[in-house]
Every structure is written in C-alpha cells, then in structure tokens.
Amino acid sequence: MNAQPVAIPSLNDIASAARRIRTVVRRTPVIQVAAGELDVPIPVILKLEFLQHTGSFKVRGASNALALLRAAERGAPTAGVCCASGGNHGAAVAWAAREAGLPATVFVPDFSPRTKTDVIESLGARLRRVEGFYADALAASQDHARHEGAFHIDAYDDPQTVAGQGTLGLELAEQVPEGQPVLVGCGGGGLYAGVALALDGRNRVTAAEPSSAPSLTAALEAGEPVDVEVGGIALDSLGARRAGRIATAVGLSLGMKTLTVADEDIAAARALLWQRLRIVAEPGGATALAALLAHPEHFPDGATVVVSGANTAPSSSIGC
C-alpha cells in the first residue's frame, strides 16, 4: 500500500455519524424474499436503500460531511460546497446543501444521464459538465475548491463520507441475522468500506463490481489503488477509474474478495427486480443482486442484498 497513512473511520465514528444524521436521513426498510422468487434457491433479504432521499445511499455520506463542516465552521461556509459525481453523489450534495441553506456546485462527466443531472439542478445546485470521466470531473471540482474556497465533499474516499455510508451498516445490524452475508455494489468503494466497517465481526460484506469497471478488484490484486479502464451500463454510478484508498485498505485488512459481473448480468438483475417485485433499480443499484444471481455458490444459506439506487427512467430500465 501507499506509505502515506490511510485515515479509516472507526466504529465509534460511524455511530457518531448515525446520531448526527438520524433526523436527516431515512431509515430504509428491508423485505424478505422467499427462496426461488429471485431465481436462486435461497432466501434473500433486500435492503431498499433506493427509498433514501434523492434515490440513493449517497445522502448519508454527504449529510455527515456537511454536518461536520458546519460544526467546525460554527456556521455556514460562505463559499458553499462542491463535489464531483456521476450523478447520485451530486444529487445528495445538492440536497444536503439545500437543506443547510448553502450554495452547491456539482461537476459531472459529460456522459452523466439527464435523469440524474435534472435532479441535481432541480435541487438548486449549479451543474458543470466536464469532458471525460469521473476522474476529470473530480479534478475540476478540486480546482474549483482551491480557487473559490468552497468545501469539497468527496464521493467515496474521505473518512467523513465513509462514516456516513456506514450508517447503513448499523441499520442492517438491527434488521438482518448475524452471520448472513451482505452484498453491496461498488464503484469507488465508499459504501463497501462503511458497511464492512460497521458490520465487521458480525456479517461478511462482499463488494460486487461490473467487470467493465473493476477498480476495487484491481486494487486488491495490486495491493494499492491502480487505474483501470472503465465502461459499461453502470458507468455513471460505479465508474470510478481508481478505487478509494479507504476501501482498498479495508478490503485488504478483511481479506475480502470481490465478485465481478457482466453487463448482461446487471441487466438481468434489473429485469428480475421489476418482473418479480416491481422495483425499478438503476444499473449500479442492481449490481449487488447481479452478483448473487451470477455467483449463488458463494451464498448457500442466503444473503442480504443492498439495492442502493434507483435514479433511472423506468422505461429505459426494464422496457416497460
């Protein structure tokens, strides 16, 4: 790993985040799905995190980071906040900033879908499209923060963001059986890291990645974050070219092995969620279920699957 130390949030940090944002975020429900109903011979629990504000888990991390900022500043930073995003984190930052009465600027790669960018703008944030990928939007956001004095809220590789995402894991600890494996979709790895830290010693957490964007898989193989080529149908939500240092350190410390899935597996999982349960999930939100469908042998006794986002047009997701 990189010689520079990696700041990893503790379980106390995650518990503090839960107290800090408990009146802000929703406690999302779980549903029990009988063996065979999702074409696997095991019972499945679905964590319906797409019912969160702005349609994804990202509000947890953004709200925690912003609350800590306001406490440190003893008020509102006049320059506001900024971030880079494929769409979901940007919507979360825009929502949290609006709730706090702060201006927000969101930088997105130019391929980000209108379904997501329209939400960002509807929440009052200034949208800036950047040619290229998420990494290019991130560079633009960091440059904006330096020159304008805005507070940059990282999408997945900051302890405050990861601690906020970990509050989902604390909810799962009260909702699902101890020992049952948990599957989460993974891009930069903030959700994986937070949930794995929250459930360490209670439930094994596995990160599921598109084979077209295997950033954490490559990082764990290399022993440190490395750049990978990214593409595929989940690019806007799981298209980080380089996994976060926090997620990589957590994965290495826990000996976690990722599961990768093809785009067709993700498409099949989305279709199944709609056909059997009338759940509309975006590709990134269905990637965890895709991993269960593609690799059921890893979960002989059942699994909990986080459906992490639903920012998509129904007609584009399932052919309805």
Side-chain angles (χ1 to χ4, degrees):
M1 289 291 295
N2 194 310
Q4 184 179 352
V6 180
I8 297 175
S10 66
L11 185 58
N12 284 338
D13 293 330
I14 298 171
S16 295
R19 292 190 293 270
R20 193 175 294 119
I21 65 177
R22 68 182 184 276
T23 61
V24 178
V25 304
R26 293 172 177 151
R27 179 185 172 91
T28 55
V30 298
I31 60 170
Q32 305 271 348
V33 183
E37 193 170 354
L38 288 174
D39 289 352
V40 287
I42 54 172
V44 179
I45 297 176
L46 297 180
K47 173 69 165 168
L48 307 185
E49 185 62 12
F50 63 90
L51 296 176
Q52 191 56 260
H53 297 293
T54 73
S56 86
F57 70 93
K58 293 286 190 176
V59 159
R60 296 176 183 270
S63 296
N64 187 52
L66 191 49
L68 284 168
L69 168 68
R70 289 174 63 82
E73 296 273 334
R74 298 185 182 278
T78 56
V81 299
C82 64
C83 72
S85 172
N88 286 342
H89 178 63
V93 168
W95 184 88
R98 187 189 68 176
E99 294 297 296
L102 295 175
T105 304
V106 178
F107 294 81
V108 300
D110 54 10
F111 59 79
S112 292
R114 285 287 300 274
T115 306
K116 296 184 177 183
T117 58
D118 284 351
V119 172
I120 292 169
E121 292 187 300
S122 74
L123 291 167
R126 293 181 296 172
L127 184 75
R128 298 288 184 266
R129 287 188 177 271
V130 178
E131 184 177 355
F133 293 90
Y134 169 78
D136 303 293
L138 177 60
S141 179
Q142 292 171 331
D143 187 64
H144 175 83
R146 284 191 296 269
H147 287 89
E148 302 297 329
F151 180 74
H152 179 80
I153 300 179
D154 195 88
Y156 57 80
D157 206 21
D158 182 273
Q160 300 169 0
T161 301
V162 172
Q165 318 304 25
T167 63
L168 188 154
L170 295 184
E171 289 181 16
L172 286 174
E174 299 174 354
Q175 294 172 318
V176 306
E178 183 173 358
Q180 184 173 80
V182 175
L183 274 160
V184 300
C186 182
L191 180 62
Y192 161 72
V195 173
L197 290 167
L199 293 176
D200 185 23
R202 186 186 193 279
N203 300 78
R204 172 173 58 91
V205 180
T206 298
E209 292 190 300
S211 55
S212 53
S215 58
L216 186 57
T217 301
L220 296 178
E221 290 175 353
E224 62 181 357
V226 293
D227 287 340
V228 298
E229 295 295 323
V230 293
I233 64 173
L235 181 62
D236 60 300
S237 56
L238 303 183
R241 187 176 293 170
R242 174 179 286 236
R245 295 175 67 235
I246 296 174
T248 303
V250 171
L252 289 170
S253 69
L254 297 179
M256 195 272 293
K257 302 294 185 183
T258 61
L259 293 176
T260 58
V261 290
D263 280 0
E264 52 266 33
D265 296 323
I266 297 172
R270 297 177 76 200
L272 198 63
L273 283 169
W274 172 250
Q275 293 162 3
R276 305 291 171 82
L277 301 171
R278 286 302 187 257
I279 290 173
V280 178
E282 65 182 281
T287 296
L289 178 60
L292 177 63
L293 299 177
H295 304 283
E297 68 278 6
H298 293 286
F299 309 95
D301 300 316
T304 291
V305 173
V306 177
V307 186
S308 57
N311 286 313
T312 184
S315 60
S316 68
S317 64
I318 46 182
C320 65

